[in-house]
Amino acid sequence: MHMDIFPNQIFKNKSLKTDIQLRFLNRLSQSLNNGYPLLAALEAFQWDYELRKPAERIILSLRNGVSFDKALEEADFHPTITSFLYFTKDGNLTENIEKCAELFEKRMKHTKKLKQISRYPFILFIIFAVLLFFIKKSVLPSFIDLFQSTPNTGITIKFSIFFINLLFQTMVMIIFITLITALVWYVIKHKWNIERRIKIYHRIPIFRQYIQLHTSYLFATHISTLLKTGIPLKEILTIMHEQKNLPIIAFYTGLMTEQLKKGVYITSLLQSLPLLDPKLGMIFQKHSDRYALETDLTIYAELKAEEFHERLMKMIISIQPIFFICLACFIIFIYIALMWPMFQLIKTV
């Protein structure tokens, strides 16, 4: 997430294959559930050709005193995995790995589904753009030559030329603006502080809903799992504030820590944070007992995970029909724009 590594991220992808990462997590959680210590479970991976190399790198890092999440990062695991397992403690290692594997598997399914759905519309878009360019450069000049001697069709052909030119320029502008916006956002987002970025996220309606769901899920999940280890809430918030992988949660927990230092409970603050679900404040207000709070946060996190999955799948599935409807409308308009002058010419014959 820094400008100086931008070229490397284009030309080099260091991460392991996603299916290998998922298999690694599932095998590790299975071994830990069977009673293996962490290092013994990792050493058993040396029998698997694909898992042996990352396992050896993780073992070496752990023996050098590196934390488990940092060891995974050095073994080129995805940031989704390393950021989730940052909060892992000895007492909740197996549970966190299982949750992380489940979250990463859903992410893989969403990514695969998005690629499958967007591949065909993307190809059609390219074909349509080429066809539109051909019409603009070859067909329209022939139309102008054909109808310039027919005054009755002059207005119609002018309208057709104007419409096709406008459509072509609009497509070019959309592509150009999209590329420039993505490039500019990638460069400047790391220079802006998180408070400013949160304000921008909050102003984007659809994106705001998804990032609120995701942030609320992660917040509830990490607090509930850390509560199980017996760590006081104030210390949990400090741990979450000090991590750098989830900047929104780090910023929000910093505000909560300040509130607790002033002797103010965090319920009212939770309900006012724009990228957290206000219901979290109600859960904290409802329970003073840590066990009841941990139980409710666990249930809430499971519900939010399901809601996030359903909304994301609905959005992904809706991409194709929306694109096809827009493309069909463009094709019909182009057909009318090209055929209408012909009809006008026939009437004059």
Side-chain angles (χ1 to χ4, degrees), residues 112 114-124 320:
K112 184 178 179 180
L114 181 60
K115 288 179 179 178
Q116 291 174 343
I117 290 177
S118 60
R119 186 182 297 119
Y120 187 47
F122 179 75
I123 294 172
L124 286 181
Q320 269 195 356

Side-chain angles (χ1 to χ4, degrees), residues 11 17 22 28 38 55 66 71 91 97 102 115 118 130 144 147 152-153 169 171 173 193-194 218 255 264 270 274 301:
F11 299 110
K17 291 182 179 179
L22 180 61
L28 183 58
L38 178 58
V66 175
I97 292 175
E102 182 182 355
K115 288 179 179 178
S118 60
V130 173
I144 295 172
F147 295 113
N152 292 336
T153 59
Q169 292 170 6
M171 289 184 64
M173 287 297 296
N193 59 41
I194 186 59
L218 291 176
L255 297 178
V264 181
L270 276 169

Side-chain angles (χ1 to χ4, degrees), residues 65-254:
V66 175
S67 62
F68 183 59
D69 65 292
K70 190 67 177 177
L72 291 175
E73 183 179 341
E74 292 178 356
D76 303 327
F77 276 72
H78 195 276
T80 300
I81 296 173
T82 57
S83 61
F84 192 95
L85 295 177
Y86 172 86
F87 303 97
T88 297
K89 303 296 178 184
D90 293 338
N92 64 354
L93 175 61
T94 306
E95 180 183 355
N96 268 11
I97 292 175
E98 290 175 351
K99 287 184 178 180
C100 183
E102 182 182 355
L103 178 65
F104 193 66
E105 184 176 12
K106 287 182 178 179
R107 182 187 183 278
M108 287 174 56
K109 289 180 180 178
H110 295 156
T111 304
K112 184 178 179 180
K113 188 71 173 178
L114 181 60
K115 288 179 179 178
Q116 291 174 343
I117 290 177
S118 60
R119 186 182 297 119
Y120 187 47
F122 179 75
I123 294 172
L124 286 181
F125 179 81
I126 297 298
I127 294 173
F128 179 72
V130 173
L131 178 62
L132 193 60
F133 179 79
F134 173 76
I135 292 173
K136 175 179 169 59
K137 294 298 181 181
S138 299
V139 178
L140 283 184
S142 301
F143 262 56
I144 295 172
D145 294 338
L146 178 63
F147 295 113
Q148 65 181 356
S149 60
T150 310
N152 292 336
T153 59
I155 297 176
T156 306
I157 193 62
K158 286 180 180 178
F159 172 77
S160 300
I161 294 171
F162 170 77
F163 174 77
I164 292 176
N165 282 333
L166 178 63
L167 183 58
F168 182 77
Q169 292 170 6
T170 301
M171 289 184 64
V172 173
M173 287 297 296
I174 290 174
I175 296 173
F176 180 76
I177 291 173
T178 301
L179 292 175
I180 292 298
T181 302
L183 181 61
V184 170
W185 174 246
Y186 185 90
V187 172
I188 68 176
K189 73 175 183 177
H190 309 298
K191 297 181 179 180
W192 289 350
N193 59 41
I194 186 59
E195 189 172 3
R196 190 174 184 182
R197 275 185 277 163
I198 287 173
K199 291 179 180 179
I200 294 175
Y201 296 155
H202 185 60
R203 292 173 184 171
I204 307 174
I206 297 177
F207 182 70
R208 177 183 64 216
Q209 295 174 4
Y210 285 97
I211 200 168
Q212 185 190 70
L213 269 173
H214 190 243
T215 304
S216 300
Y217 163 73
L218 291 176
F219 180 83
T221 298
H222 293 315
I223 287 189
S224 63
T225 52
L226 289 173
L227 282 171
K228 290 179 182 179
T229 64
I231 301 175
L233 179 60
K234 187 174 180 180
E235 187 176 342
I236 291 173
L237 294 176
T238 302
I239 293 172
M240 296 176 73
H241 173 61
E242 290 174 350
Q243 58 84 28
K244 305 299 180 185
N245 296 314
L246 303 171
I248 296 175
I249 290 180
F251 176 72
Y252 282 167
T253 49

